[in-house]
Amino acid sequence: MTVKHFYETFHPGHYDLYIEVNREQKTIKGTTTITGEAIEDSIMVNQKYLTIASVTSEGQEVPFTVDDEKEAIKIDLGKTSKTEVEIKYSAPLTDTMMGIYPSYYTVDGVKKQIIGTQFETTSARQAFPCVDEPEAKATFSLALKYDEHEGETTIANMPEIKVEDGVHYFEKTVRMSSYLIAFAFGELQSKMTETKDGVKVGVFATKAHQAKELDFALDIAKRAIEFYEEFYQTKYPLPHSWQLALPDFSAGAMENWGLITYREAAILLDPDNATADQKAYVATVIAHELAHQWFGDLVTMKWWDDLWLNESFANMMEYVSVDALEPEWHVWDNTYQVSEVPAALNRDATDGVQSVHVEVEHPADIDSIFDSAIVYAKGSRMLVMVRALLGDDALRKGLKYYFDQHKFGNATGDDLWDALSTATDLDIGKIMHTWLDQPGYPVVSAKVDANGHLILTQKQFFAGEGKEVGRKWAIPLNANFVAPQIMSDRELDLGDYSDLRAKAGHALRLNVGNSSHFIVNYDETLMADIIAEVDDLKPVDQLQLLQDLGLLAQGNQISYAEIVPLLPKFADSDSNIVIGALFSAVASLRKFVTPDSDEEKNLKQFTDQLSSKQVERLGWEAKETDTADELQIRPTELSAALYAGNPAVIKAGHQIFVQNEADLIKIEASVRPYVLINEAKNYHSSELIERLVKEYQTAVDPYFKQDLMAAITSTQDKEDLKQIVDNFENNDIIKPQDLRSWYFSVLSNKQGEQLAWDWIRAEWAWLEKTIGGDMEFTSFITVTAKAFHTPARLEEFTTFFEPKIDQPGLGREIQMDTKVIATKADLVTKEQAVVNQKIKEAITK
Ligand code: BES
Ligand code: ZN
């Protein structure tokens, strides 16, 4: 179905925006004047929730009709020509975290607000009438008035020119898409610096925060801009780059050109008490949004079907840039391989998943393609393959060409492949279409056949049920022995195995470095050979081995029981990512044991056995001599030991709590969540939970708040949990932006599961009203499926969600999540006995 885009009726060239916000009365009033070219006699301009007072063209009133379903105003100009259209309108100022909206916070007990904006994907139309499509690029001159008082700061995409009669006038923007417009005002503090080429860089936040929390972001932002100018060989084209932390923010961050907005946890850090993970997270978010200033803002996808041009690229560039700025952090291993890769491999294995490139029209469907596992994680994996095939020099040359060709304009995926083709002989477009246009990914089976030949076969991998439809991919093999660079056929005969093995001198492996998007199923001979050398493998290869085995088990290609005896091999590792992969494999066994059963006792004992040595060695307290890996291994081991119920660990954790009772935020950040969780679980009192809730309410540090949330929701007391769920809709305690985490945490607590599940079903209408229409909305369904793995829950899930399947934006999510639960439920039924048997054998050894 082709849907007509409004851009086909009208090409805006310039907007004069006059916007007046009244916080007191909660109203917006405005006049938008658009000069442009009418392509048809009747033009279509977007609006949503606006009350249109008048429409004039060149001074004359013109007939118009408002079509709320199409989120449009149809304006009858009667002729096609260059023209000027003026629209007067008003709108309510609402707390939806979309369009123009207030963010709430408290300083010294006084409630305050900052006004900010969030326009991607289709909410600019809630702030002013516009052709709200990425292709409709224009220049914008913003004039902004509000019920201003002394001491407020007003910022926007461009610098302010003047203030006249209380109206703030901003410089005309460069040619850009409407979804990237932004402004904000309120009582802000800021820190400023400049890049070596004179771009002003600033970080803004409310005055509730300590000034030092802005420093880390400022340093990263400045250096990231300098890095991108060099990498893309294209200058940052605006005079400033502001980073603004907003107390209420639906997504993680938003790349508005020149005024990037963030949720507080994604930008503010206490430099004196931050973990390596927090630093890496904040740095990668900033690097992501700054990558968009080129990929997304300077060159924008023509339509949302090519969203990956924005998001997949920004996602890869996060790691390219942070790795260049802070090589010691090893973000490719420590973050990319640990979070993006498994997210992509898991989600993309479910039948019914969308491809990275996907046709969309309806606004709710546009929001629904911002799937972090697909357009972000899988998409970045696609580009990591491109980068590996081309090399950085060719990639940069191609990108320079791409920016030169399309700057201040729009592009499609094929424009990118054309640009990269100027720098390589590979038919990169052809290879990449197999990955971008098809959902899923292959499992490559490697086996030695009856003639002693090594045979590779590719086939789509499914976790659980999946319909084989004959998909094939052009797979970069990355073999550690003689093999073609790309495998495009279904089957490949690599010749005599003994010869290959002898020449290589080591066990044969594919996808070395885990940089291609496929998994490998080795036959028994090949796997035994790898296991024999497992200690010599690099950490990332060990992590890959565990990840792939877990997936193969989900796909019924091996049994979970085969994984259990391998786990102790990794327990003594000194690599943080191996330990992480180990305990995430151990955690995946939890679904096989029923609470309070002997099996659970066994799993706890097994976990204790795997963690006790390291926990004893590392203890709760960080030491001067700790390596970077040790600092990150410690919390993973402690968390495992707490699950296992290790009495010494429980006691020592309690002591840290007692020592810091007066000032809990001071506890070293990497162990702080576990100190608090330990207390809430093992030294519980209702007063303690009450105190933690109070502390949560007044805490300003976003990471401390996360730790408190984790502790509060880990209580085993049903009464506490009931109270917590009662607070889900009390935004004085839980902000809507944080509700999903709260919900998921209570749902994942066996004592709270039923309460949370009852709540979401009873309050679905409220949730839809409060969070609906937002990218976060469907993720409430995703996390529900993440917590469930029994046939009974599957049935309840289907009963509740199936009737909603035709709702725009929800259908795919519901279908996929139903499958996710069904897969786990099947697996548990089938494998429970053998897995528990293996766990039992592993502990008696
Ligand atoms: N463009 C997105 C934010 C966005 C997504 C706005 C969907 C509206 C709808 C932004 O660049 C982004 O990707 N943010 C991520 C954080 C990032 C570091 C992965 C997010 O918000 O999760
Ligand atoms: Zn992004």
Side-chain angles (χ1 to χ4, degrees), residues 564 589 593 602-603 606 835-843:
V564 176
L589 301 176
V593 303
N602 288 342
L603 180 57
F606 185 45
V835 169
N836 283 313
Q837 180 56 34
K838 285 287 174 191
I839 294 173
K840 203 165 152 197
E841 285 168 22
I843 52 170

Side-chain angles (χ1 to χ4, degrees), residues 255 288-289 292 311 314 376:
E255 71 266 26
H288 176 106
E289 304 311 334
H292 275 315
E311 298 303 347
Y376 290 79

Side-chain angles (χ1 to χ4, degrees), residues 15 17 19 99-100 116-120 123-125 127-128 130 132 136 138-143 155-158 171-184 254-261 297:
Y15 289 76
L17 303 177
I19 298 176
I100 304 171
T117 56
Q118 171 60 41
F119 291 166
E120 191 179 9
S123 295
R125 64 190 68 170
F128 54 87
C130 55
D132 199 10
T139 53
F140 295 81
S141 297
L142 172 67
I155 49 179
N157 303 85
M158 297 293 286
E171 267 177 43
K172 180 163 106 177
T173 68
V174 293
R175 197 165 177 272
M176 65 188 284
S177 304
S178 51
Y179 77 89
L180 294 167
I181 294 291
F183 57 83
M254 175 65 213
E255 71 266 26
N256 316 300
W257 214 355
L259 174 50
I260 303 174
T261 44
D297 297 3

